Amino acid sequence: VAQGVAVPATSAAAGQDDEAAAVTAEAAWLSDVRIPVPMWTCYVPELHRAHKNSVLATRRMMRRVTKDREATKLVEKHMAKVAHGNPYPVLTAIVEQIEAYGNLVEPVVDVTGRLTSVDHDVLTFVLLERLTLKSRGGLKKDGLNLSDWLINLASGTSALCKKHKQLDLEAILQYVVQSLLARDSGLSLTVLKELISRMALVEPLEDLSDAQLECMAGHRQLRHEAIMTQAQKEQQTKPITRRTLARLAGTLGLDRAAGDEKLS
């Protein structure tokens, strides 16, 4: 009987030792992982640890983001819970993911579908913070082409502004204006181009075919049909397109009726 009682006690002690060893190993791993954290968190160990844990949790969830909508819904729920407790590091990791992978902009934007009002304010701050980083250039080494991070960030910013009406679009457009006044046109014009392209469905004309060039000599309706893309044909009748166009026009100080006329 004594031996029978001793066996569970030994097993329980072994289980506690294994759990303690796992916690110690995880703490050591967290201390070795190099994650950029704000300087102000270094003075408070609890904030430093919470910041690092939130970033790691976000990165683990972002690995499960695919173009499959059903799989993204599960990540969306968990992401909302993590972002609610510590929004800044979580949203910063999401924006960094957008900068790194341009082909996953839409799935990553879908993950942010359950953010709160506070999260939207923090997301606006994070977007402006990433756009104003001076430690990286907007051009590639050849000095001619835009950097991939800039193109992806501009595309992600426009997609987030279209999805979330709570985002402060006026602050982002104010940044564009200030950048133009500071003669930093490369970055700001890229952001403005993506905003207009996604929210107003107005795209620049590039590489027109011979048939499209012939149609450009015709009536206004013929010119409009010749240059309209398939995406514009699918989106022009949707109410969300009219709302986003009216929102963009209102922020720019334009007449809403003029925007509605452009869609008609």
Side-chain angles (χ1 to χ4, degrees):
V1 176
Q3 292 179 354
V5 173
V7 170
T10 305
S11 301
Q16 292 178 357
D17 293 339
D18 294 340
E19 184 178 357
V23 172
T24 304
E26 183 179 2
W29 179 69
L30 287 174
S31 62
D32 294 335
V33 175
R34 295 183 178 180
I35 296 178
V37 296
M39 287 297 298
W40 51 267
T41 62
C42 299
Y43 301 103
V44 183
E46 291 78 8
L47 290 178
H48 186 83
R49 192 179 305 110
H51 188 285
K52 184 175 288 188
N53 290 338
S54 299
V55 173
L56 289 175
T58 304
R59 289 182 178 179
R60 283 195 294 266
M61 287 185 287
M62 295 304 293
R63 294 172 187 166
R64 299 161 53 189
V65 175
T66 61
K67 294 184 178 181
D68 184 9
R69 179 57 184 166
E70 296 299 327
T72 305
K73 286 183 179 180
L74 298 176
V75 181
E76 182 181 349
K77 295 179 181 179
H78 295 293
M79 191 69 70
K81 294 180 180 179
V82 178
H84 182 68
N86 207 351
Y88 176 75
V90 173
L91 296 176
T92 300
I94 291 177
V95 175
E96 290 176 351
Q97 188 85 0
I98 292 176
E99 294 178 2
Y101 304 100
N103 58 335
L104 292 178
V105 170
E106 294 297 337
V108 172
V109 170
D110 291 338
V111 170
T112 63
R114 301 195 180 193
L115 298 181
T116 62
S117 299
V118 177
D119 296 336
H120 288 116
D121 292 340
V122 176
L123 181 57
T124 304
F125 172 78
V126 170
L127 290 175
L128 292 175
E129 183 185 42
R130 301 299 298 180
L131 288 170
T132 54
L133 284 179
K134 300 298 182 181
S135 59
R136 52 185 181 177
L139 298 178
K140 294 182 177 179
K141 293 182 179 180
D142 56 9
L144 299 176
N145 300 315
L146 295 175
S147 300
D148 294 335
W149 71 265
L150 174 56
I151 298 175
N152 297 339
L153 182 57
S155 177
T157 301
S158 60
L160 288 169
C161 290
K162 181 178 180 180
K163 183 177 182 64
H164 304 288
K165 63 179 181 180
Q166 296 88 348
L167 282 181
D168 193 353
L169 182 59
E170 184 177 355
I172 297 176
L173 292 177
Q174 184 66 30
Y175 156 75
V176 173
V177 172
Q178 296 298 329
S179 298
L180 291 174
L181 293 177
R183 300 184 182 277
D184 187 10
S185 59
L187 192 150
S188 56
L189 288 180
T190 304
V191 176
L192 182 61
K193 171 190 171 184
E194 290 294 333
L195 285 173
I196 295 176
S197 176
R198 284 185 179 269
M199 300 184 69
L201 293 180
V202 177
E203 299 182 1
L205 300 178
E206 297 178 357
D207 300 330
L208 293 178
S209 62
D210 294 338
Q212 288 177 320
L213 289 175
E214 292 180 0
C215 293
M216 295 302 291
H219 190 263
R220 175 182 177 183
Q221 184 64 28
L222 180 60
R223 298 197 302 268
H224 181 68
E225 292 292 335
I227 64 176
M228 181 180 293
T229 62
Q230 184 64 28
Q232 290 174 328
K233 293 179 181 179
E234 295 175 355
Q235 295 289 335
Q236 67 173 347
T237 57
K238 294 185 177 181
I240 187 173
T241 303
R242 295 182 178 272
R243 291 198 299 268
T244 54
L245 176 58
R247 178 171 162 234
L248 179 61
T251 307
L252 292 172
L254 303 177
D255 187 10
R256 179 177 178 179
D260 292 339
E261 181 182 355
K262 199 168 190 59
L263 283 177
S264 61

